Amino acid sequence: MLINDFKLEVFFGKHEFSAPYLLTQSDCESMSITDLLKLEDGSQEKFLNEWLGYTEVPGDPELRNVISKLYTTMKSENIIVHAGAQEPIFNFMNILLEKQDHVITQFPIYQSLFEVANAIECEVSRWNIEQGENGWMMDIDSLESLIQPNTKLIVLNSPNNPTGYTFTEEEIKKIADIARKNNIYVFCDEVYKGVELDGFKRPWFADYYEKGISLGVMSKAYGLAGLRIGWLATRDEELLGKLIKMKHYTSICSSGPSEKLSIIALKNSDMLLQRNTQIIKDNLIIADAFFNKYSSLFKFNRPMAGPVAFIKMNIEMPIAEFCDELVDKQSVLLLPSNIYDMDSQYFRMGFGRINFKESLDQFEKYLIENKYV
Ligand SMILES: Cc1ncc(COP(=O)(O)O)c(C=O)c1O
């Protein structure tokens, strides 16, 4: 398969482990294994005695069970554990799609969610998230106009990376109805689910639609990216069977120690999500003050959910050049919108880290010293 470079991962590969001020990260604050094990009495001893053999291909049975409890209609057998979120995106697209199938993807969106379909030589249409006066918006009715006789799949990412847009329950129902009427699968990447800032938990897409597939992960809302544990949830038995056979060719089974740690984290799901939602909320108060102060330079689109926002910047210089200079001169990392195939001048900011203020102060220092403000 010939596939284009993953622009975001190439960009992070250059800077993520050298720039000290990571002001764009999409994963929430992480924690040590010791702190995670403290969440369950006796777990340290148990963890150290775990056997390091192969694990079951669909995932540890207890892990599949705790994951299924996040949903209203899923049972353990509806869950297949994978390596992070990237493996299941790749595997799912490869089991479902064939050359010349038509795929509709929300746009902007994380690159693999359309690039794997491109590499399979599908026809891909964008369903745009629009910049409105008060933030990002989507016209749900416009989805129907994109549907063609060969449309096989709609790809969503809610909460969305990079805009922070999230569907309401009514919008989810509407999309499911449109998809059902046209017999189209819906793949909903929900890796940022759980850190809703308005306090309303949205339903998982797969709970609403029998041909819906929900993608979840430990990396983002839980802040446990190093575990590399993600999952797909669906009620479609044919897809579940094909996903297992595809996993035989990729990771075979997931990391045993990571599965055990994920079980502990998910048993404490509410607490971990509350902790990270609070970090985001506290950082957003700091961000509000910053963007109010510099309102002529930025249009701040507060995220509806999730740890990232996509912010418009009013400068002459191409945004990619601006972000390159910022990281070179001040060691502050922001992600420019060209990474998302967009011409307009946006950057992605992340609010999930506890050193947010320190990084924002460095950004402000750079803007002042270079006479942008
Ligand atoms: C929307 C979205 N999906 C999937 C992924 C991949 O997640 P992971 O690193 O856990 O594989 C990311 C990572 O940034 C993402 O933003």
Side-chain angles (χ1 to χ4, degrees):
M1 171 193 270
L2 285 178
I3 190 159
N4 291 325
D5 284 352
F6 203 120
K7 292 182 191 170
L8 181 149
E9 302 299 344
V10 170
F11 183 80
F12 276 152
K14 273 198 260 169
H15 305 293
E16 191 180 5
F17 294 99
S18 51
Y21 305 110
L22 301 175
L23 201 47
T24 190
Q25 300 322 99
S26 65
D27 48 337
C28 291
E29 187 71 23
S30 199
M31 56 167 56
S32 67
I33 295 177
T34 306
D35 285 345
L36 183 57
L37 291 174
K38 277 185 196 149
L39 299 179
E40 192 173 297
D41 283 347
S43 64
Q44 191 154 349
E45 171 83 23
K46 203 168 151 214
F47 181 67
L48 291 175
N49 286 300
E50 288 296 348
W51 192 250
L52 288 174
Y54 279 105
T55 63
E56 294 188 33
V57 178
D60 178 298
E62 191 184 358
L63 177 58
R64 293 172 80 199
N65 184 44
V66 285
I67 293 171
S68 72
K69 299 270 186 292
L70 301 172
Y71 298 79
T72 53
T73 64
M74 297 295 151
K75 301 195 178 83
S76 297
E77 55 267 33
N78 299 112
I79 309 296
I80 301 183
V81 178
H82 285 85
Q86 199 72 283
E87 183 195 30
I89 293 172
F90 187 83
N91 287 4
F92 173 77
M93 301 293 168
N94 274 289
I95 60 147
L96 185 78
L97 298 174
E98 287 169 291
K99 194 172 172 171
Q100 282 162 11
D101 282 337
H102 178 237
V103 179
I104 300 170
T105 63
Q106 245 185 323
F107 182 82
I109 205 165
Y110 187 65
Q111 189 177 340
S112 50
L113 292 168
F114 62 84
E115 200 65 76
V116 180
N118 271 335
I120 296 168
E121 295 181 52
C122 296
E123 192 185 340
V124 178
S125 301
R126 292 173 173 185
W127 184 32
N128 291 327
I129 311 174
E130 309 281 355
Q131 170 76 78
E133 247 328 287
N134 299 314
W136 296 96
M137 315 180 320
M138 287 207 81
D139 174 6
I140 306 299
D141 294 328
S142 68
L143 175 61
E144 278 206 277
S145 65
L146 295 172
I147 294 174
Q148 304 179 173
N150 61 338
T151 306
K152 196 183 250 179
L153 176 68
I154 297 168
V155 181
L156 310 172
N157 172 214
S158 181
N160 174 261
N161 166 10
T163 60
Y165 181 85
T166 194
F167 292 116
T168 61
E169 190 165 354
E170 287 64 42
E171 288 173 330
I172 291 170
K173 275 190 207 163
K174 237 175 153 180
I175 295 168
D177 286 345
I178 294 171
R180 187 176 290 113
K181 197 170 84 186
N182 292 281
N183 195 28
I184 298 169
Y185 291 94
V186 177
F187 183 91
C188 193
D189 177 330
E190 290 161 296
V191 300
Y192 296 101
K193 208 171 157 346
V195 281
E196 286 85 7
L197 302 170
D198 57 9
F200 293 109
K201 279 200 171 176
R202 309 302 197 271
W204 293 86
F205 206 94
D207 275 332
Y208 260 93
Y209 182 38
E210 53 292 350
K211 282 191 158 189
I213 303 94
S214 281
L215 171 66
V217 85
M218 300 309 298
S219 311
K220 305 296 182 179
Y222 294 100
L224 301 172
L227 293 178
R228 309 308 301 137
I229 293 289
W231 64 86
L232 290 176
T234 183
R235 283 178 274 157
D236 188 312
E237 286 180 17
E238 195 187 341
L239 286 181
L240 288 164
K242 287 184 178 171
L243 283 165
I244 291 290
K245 289 185 177 156
M246 189 67 187
K247 196 179 167 189
H248 291 154
Y249 279 100
T250 52
S251 58
I252 302 179
C253 65
S254 302
S255 150
S258 290
E259 290 191 314
K260 298 297 181 198
L261 293 171
S262 299
I263 292 168
I264 296 170
L266 288 173
K267 281 184 176 167
N268 293 277
S269 174
D270 287 347
M271 192 275 282
L272 290 175
L273 294 177
Q274 258 168 33
R275 163 202 186 245
N276 288 338
T277 306
Q278 199 52 53
I279 293 174
I280 297 170
K281 283 185 173 171
D282 291 347
N283 287 334
L284 282 171
I285 293 171
I286 300 168
D288 280 338
F290 176 88
F291 289 115
N292 279 337
K293 188 167 166 190
Y294 300 119
S295 58
S296 59
L297 192 58
F298 303 105
K299 175 161 181 48
F300 180 35
N301 296 293
R302 229 175 186 266
M304 293 161 71
V308 295
F310 215 32
I311 297 154
K312 195 166 193 174
M313 188 169 181
N314 182 19
I315 46 161
E316 296 277 317
M317 181 191 276
I319 195 75
E321 235 174 87
F322 175 84
C323 291
D324 278 344
E325 284 200 17
L326 176 66
V327 70
D328 287 347
K329 292 186 183 163
Q330 199 75 29
S331 304
V332 175
L333 193 63
L334 285 175
L335 193 62
S337 46
N338 63 300
I339 295 289
Y340 289 91
D341 274 354
M342 283 177 76
D343 296 333
S344 36
Q345 302 273 82
Y346 288 84
F347 59 78
R348 187 183 84 182
M349 186 172 269
F351 307 93
R353 299 292 181 90
I354 52 173
N355 70 341
F356 174 80
K357 177 154 187 343
E358 201 189 336
S359 302
L360 191 68
D361 286 347
Q362 290 299 319
F363 183 37
E364 184 171 32
K365 190 164 174 246
Y366 178 80
L367 294 174
I368 294 168
E369 283 174 3
N370 290 278
K371 305 202 176 355
Y372 284 101
V373 290

